[in-house]
Amino acid sequence: MKDRVLNLMKGCGLNLLILIFFIGCFNGAAIAQEKQRKKVGVVLSGGGALGVAHVGALKVLEEAGIPIDYIVGTSMGSIIGGMYAYGYTTTQLDSILRAQDWMSLLLNSTDRSNQNFIDRELEERYMFTVPLLRDKSKHLYGGVLSGERVLNMFYALFPAHTDSMDFRNLDIPFACVAVDLLTNKEIHLYEGVLPECVRASMSIPGVFSPLRKDGMILVDGGFLNNYPVDLVKQMGADIVIGVTLDAEVGEKTAEDVPNTAGVVLQIVSNIINNDKLKHNKEMTDLIINVNTIGYTPGSFTTPAINELIDKGEAAARKAYQDILDIRKEIGLTDEDTCVVARDAVQVPEESKLVNGTALPYEKGLEVSGGFRADNEELAAVLLGANYQFDTRFLPCIGAEIRLGKRSYGQLTGWMEVSDDWTLEGTYRFAYNETKLYRKGNRVLDWDYHEHLARLSFFRSVNYMMLGFGANFYWRRFDNLLTPMKVTSLDFLPSVGYDEERNLDYFALASFDNRDMRIYSHSGLYWLLRYSFKTDDGAHFEDKTGLSIFEAYVEQNCPLSERLTLVPAVWGRMMSTSDFDRLGDRNVIGGVGTHSHYLPQQMPFAGINRFEVVDDKFAALGATLRYRIGKKHHVSAIGNYGRSSRHLDDFFSENELVGCALGYGYKTPIGPLDFNFNWSNWTEKIGFWLNLGYMF
C-alpha cells in the first residue's frame, strides 16, 4: 500500500510538472506576441468644425481592428481625442456631436429649457447682453467669445476627472497641445484638470478667451504644432496613424477664404512651423487626409457637422487597404483580435450636455440692449443693466430705460428671502403717447405720465412661476383729445378727470415649457392672474374693490417636423362695469402681442392698434405655422371672440372675428414679422410690420 501511494504521488507530480511547463510555454508565447506587437499612436489635427471628421475616421480604425495605445490631438482634435481616451465610443461621439447646437454653445447662448422663468423673459427682450466688472479670476476673458459654456460642457463630459490627474492613466493614454502666450512656447499637457486642458487647446487667440493656468496664458496649440506626431512618439508610439484636414488641390485662391473662419484658418496655416509640420508628416506611417474643401473651421451648422463626420469615414474607407497593411506592420495576423471591447461611459443628460455644469454665478455687472420698430410706433430702444452682489442672499439691482413713444425709466431690486422665494421691489416712471380706437376709428388721443411702485414675492421652479404682491399706480393725464368726427364715447362712461390712483393686490401662476418663445414648435404656456383693484386700499370708488380675472393658454402641437398647430384661449373678466377708470379697461390688438401698451392688452388678429372692448372679454384662436428652412415661417391665424358689459349679454353682443396671413424670419436682433389681416370689428384689411422683440 505504501509503494502504491508513493507511485501515485510520483505520477501526480510528473503531471503537475507537465501542466506547469505547458502553462509557462503558453504565457511565454503570449508575452512574446505582446512584445512583438508594436505600439500604435493616433494623432488628430486641429481645424475647428472640420475636426468632427475625426470621429468618422476612428470608426473605421475600430472596424479594421487597429489597437490604439496612445492618442494625442490639438484644438478640435484634442476634444475628440480626449473624449475617446476618456471612454466614449465612436457611436456615442457621433451622437453627441450631431445633436449639439454648436452655434448656441460657442456664442454662450443658454438653452431655453434650462433657464429659470425670469431669465427667459429678460433674454427675449434684449438683442445682446455684455458682462462687465466680473471677477477675472473666476471667468474667462480676452476674446470675442468667452467659451464658458464650452468649458462647462467639458466638465459635464468628464465628470470623473474634474480634479488634477495624469492623462496617461485614462482608458487610452492621452495628451494635447497648447501654446503659452507669455513665452510663445509649445506646452504639452499630459496632466492637469482634463476639461480645462482640452478647453485650453482650442482657444484661438482673439476669438476664444485664453485659459489661465499655473501662471501661463494658454491658447490653441495649432499655432505651433497643429499635427503633434512628435508628442505621440515621445509617449512611446512605434506606429503613427494621423488624421489631417488639409486635403487641398493646387494653390488657394481668394474664393477659398470666404469668411472670418476661413481667414483665421489661413492665419493659423501661415504661422505654423512648416518645417515641423513637414517633419511630423514624414514620421507618420499612415496619413488619412479628409477632403474638407467647401467647409471652414466655422462650419458648425448641423448639416455641415453631419457631412464632415461622413467625410471622415469616407476618407478612412478610401485608405482601408493601407489600414490593413498597417495591421501587418504592427505585427498582427488576420486571426488576431487586439481591439478590446470598451465599456461605454454614461453620456450626460441632455440639459448638462447642452448647457454644461453651470459655474456659480459671481458678482458683476451685465449691460443689455434691445431695438425694435413697427409701422405704428416707428422705433424704440431698450437699455438695461443688472448688478449681482456677492453676498449670502444674492441681492441684485437692475435699471432699465425705454426710449420711444412709450418711454420709461425703471429701478428694480431682488433679494432671496429663502431658498424658494425672492422679494422684488420696483419703481417706474413712464410717459406714454397712446391713440385709442373703437371699431377701427380713432376716438381718443391719450397722453399721460405714470408712477408705479410694486412689491412682490415670487418663486420660479423650472418651467413654473408663482407670485403675489401689490402695485401702486398714479397716472396723471397730460392730454385727452377727442377727434372732431367722434360724437360719442359710450364705451367710456366719462373721461372728465385728470388722474387715476390705484392700489392693487395680485396673485399669479404661470407655466412655460415652450422650446422657444418666438415661432414655438412644441410646449405649453399658460398664465392665470387675479387682481383686486382699489383706490384706497379696500374700496373702489366707494364700493367694494374690483375683481379682475385674466387667463391665457396656448398649446404648441407639432404635426410634423416643420408644421405646428397652436390652439389658444384667453380672456379678461371684471366683476363690475360701473366704473370710469380709463387705464383699467380691456384692450386688444396685435398677433401674439401681450401687454404692449398696457399690462392688460390681449392679442386679436385683424386688430393692429390699441382697441378698447367691453369689460367681459374672451376669445379663442388657432395658428397654423409652417417652417421653411431653419428661420423662415409662414402662418395662417384665425380668432373668434365675444365682448359685453354684462355676462347676461355675453353671447348676444359684440361678436368678433379676425384672421391674418403672415411671414416671419428670425434675425439676430429678433423676429421680422409682417402680416395682412382683417376683422369684422374694423371691416378693413390691415397690414402689420415689426422688427425685434416686443418690449
Side-chain angles (χ1 to χ4, degrees), residues 279-301:
H279 179 64
N280 279 341
K281 286 188 174 181
E282 289 174 349
M283 290 193 295
T284 307
D285 297 276
L286 173 61
I287 296 179
I288 299 174
N289 264 330
V290 183
N291 184 351
T292 58
I293 292 176
Y295 298 92
T296 73
S299 297
F300 281 103
T301 64

Side-chain angles (χ1 to χ4, degrees), residues 519-534:
Y519 314 129
S520 304
H521 184 57
S522 63
L524 171 68
Y525 171 77
W526 56 259
L527 169 69
L528 301 176
R529 180 185 175 100
Y530 170 74
S531 301
F532 186 74
K533 192 172 291 291
T534 75

Side-chain angles (χ1 to χ4, degrees), residues 155 158-167 170 191-197 213:
Y155 274 108
F158 307 126
H161 297 298
T162 55
D163 295 324
S164 185
M165 64 162 298
D166 190 328
F167 305 151
L170 288 171
E191 59 185 10
V193 179
L194 182 58
E196 294 181 358
C197 291
K213 172 181 168 61

